[in-house]
Every structure is written in structure tokens, then in C-alpha cells.
Amino acid sequence: MTLRPLLDGALTVAAARAGAPGGLRYTERQLYYELCRMLQPLHAGPRRIPYTLAPPVRYARFAAALAARRAELPGLLPPPAPRPAGPRTSAAAESDLYDYGLPRLLVCQSREITAMLLANDLHLEAACPVVAAGDLPLDDRLVAGLERAAGAVVHVLHDASPSGLACYEEVRAAYGPGAANGGPQGVRVRSMGLVPRHATTLHLTAGRGPHGYRGPLPAGLRPEERAWLGSGRTIELAAVAPARLLHTVIRQVRGGGTAGPRRTPLARRVRTARGSGFLSWPAG
């Protein structure tokens, strides 16, 4: 059997797994990593043994197989549209909503992950606006809403990569304590990104960049994690299974989920992932 028929058959199963439970929407790269988990199920090894995995199939081969099957996969999201040029007018019809305090906001490094979270109603379940880092700076009314809410938090969801760490630092520099150019007052910026220990515990599929990271690193990283990033290895958020990612972001944005989730459609769809013992994100 050649690789193409194998990929065609595996795509159907991978799409069903990426959309479970309950028909979640997922991105092309999330489908790719689900396919990698199917073709190389070593991610199921003991978590006490840390390691990451090399991709078993090149992305170009996956993309070629997907091109002929895209219309057959209803949960697959289309590529997100680029940010339109010119001034933003997103709040013209709901300007009164900006008169209230905004206790939390989520900034995603990836525009694709932003679209996936919104398509799965995370902003409703977590009562939290979701914006892509590429759409910064924030609307002035959002900034004012953050200032009106005591102890507001801007969460930054990013990859375990040089660009991910740079994204977090840029958001913190713009909106955290001591931000230049008179940033919002009383607002904290918190990292909700992947770090190497998450990747190695979950046995995620890793990539490698052209060079290692030499910029500032979060204080909570262990020496081996600093070496991991310095070697040039990277992990995308898309490598985390969609249901795991949704559940973790909801739990962390809402403060740990100790009060229990509201019974919205999204909560019902991800309830089977709640017993997975998924990671807690590090504090920024």
C-alpha cells in the first residue's frame, strides 16, 4: 500500500477524533497533529517518562491528501480571513457593552486557534472576549473596560517557541504593570502558554526552528526547559487535542473551575475530557 491511500483512510478517523466529543470545530493544523497521534500512538506512553515525538508524516503530504477531502470533513474550519485594513468598527452596534468592567480577556498568538475557540463558543462559556495577537492594539474601549474591573487579567495563549515567548512579552509590555505609553492601570498579564514540561509530559509532536531562543525566559522555567528552548525545538498549541485545549483554557480563564462549569452546549461537549488530568498552565 502506498502512503496516499493510508492517509486518506486515516484522515476520516482523525477528523472524527479531532471533533470529539460532540462535534467540536478544529483547524487544519489540529487535524494534522491528530493524524500524527494516530499514525504514531507513542503519545500514550507513561507521563512520568518525559519525551516529545517527531512528526511521522510531513505536513506537505498531509496537505496534499487533505485537499481532496476537505469538503467531506464538516468540522474542519476554513483558514481565517486576514485582518481587514483600516480602522476597526467591531463595536458600532453594541457600544453600550463597553460601559461595563471587563475582568478578563484572552489574547491568542495564533489566529487559527483564535478562530477555533470562537467557533466552539469559548467566549460565551468563559465569559471572556478572545482576540488574536495580530489584531492588537486593543480597542480603546476594551482597555477602558479592563481598567474599570478591579484586578482584571489579560491571558496570553501561546506556543512553546521563541515566537510564543516573544508574543507574551509583547503583550505584557503593552498592557501589564509598568507598560510603556501609559498602559491600563491595575491590569495583570498572565501567560497561559505551553512550556517544555507540558510538551514532554503529554508527549506532543514537536518541530524545530532554525535556531534556539536567546531572549528573556519566564522565571518559572526549569534549567532543562531553558536548554530545550535553546536547542530550537518548538511545540504548537495545535499539537494539543482540541477538547483538551478547550477544557484547559475554560478552566484557567475562569479561575480554576472550582465552582463547576455552567451547563452550556460547550460544557456538555467537553465534559468527557474533564477527567483527563490535563495540565495546569504556569503563572506568568
Side-chain angles (χ1 to χ4, degrees), residues 18 43 162 164 242:
H43 65 281

Side-chain angles (χ1 to χ4, degrees), residues 81-101:
R83 175 181 173 179
R88 289 166 288 173
T89 58
S90 59
E94 296 88 15
S95 59
D96 59 312
L97 295 180
Y98 289 78
D99 295 333
Y100 300 92

Side-chain angles (χ1 to χ4, degrees), residues 116-208:
M116 178 263 184
L117 297 178
L118 292 171
N120 288 294
D121 297 329
L122 180 135
H123 55 302
L124 301 177
E125 172 68 15
C128 177
V130 182
V131 300
D135 289 340
L136 297 179
L138 294 172
D139 187 291
D140 289 343
R141 290 164 293 183
L142 284 177
V143 175
L146 290 169
E147 290 184 314
R148 279 192 290 269
V153 180
V154 175
H155 301 274
V156 186
L157 187 62
H158 61 82
D159 299 340
S161 68
S163 61
L165 293 169
C167 175
Y168 167 64
E169 291 296 337
E170 288 168 6
V171 175
R172 187 170 67 169
Y175 301 106
N181 302 318
Q185 301 298 309
V187 176
R188 294 175 294 143
V189 177
R190 181 171 180 249
S191 170
M192 201 188 296
L194 281 171
V195 293
R197 63 177 173 270
H198 301 150
T200 57
T201 299
L202 293 174
H203 310 147
L204 299 179
T205 301
R208 187 175 291 274

Side-chain angles (χ1 to χ4, degrees), residues 217-244:
L217 293 170
L221 289 181
R222 302 166 182 168
E224 59 270 24
E225 293 180 294
R226 295 172 179 270
W228 190 94
L229 287 166
S231 71
R233 281 176 286 184
T234 64
I235 295 285
E236 294 183 83
L237 282 166
V240 179
R244 287 181 179 271

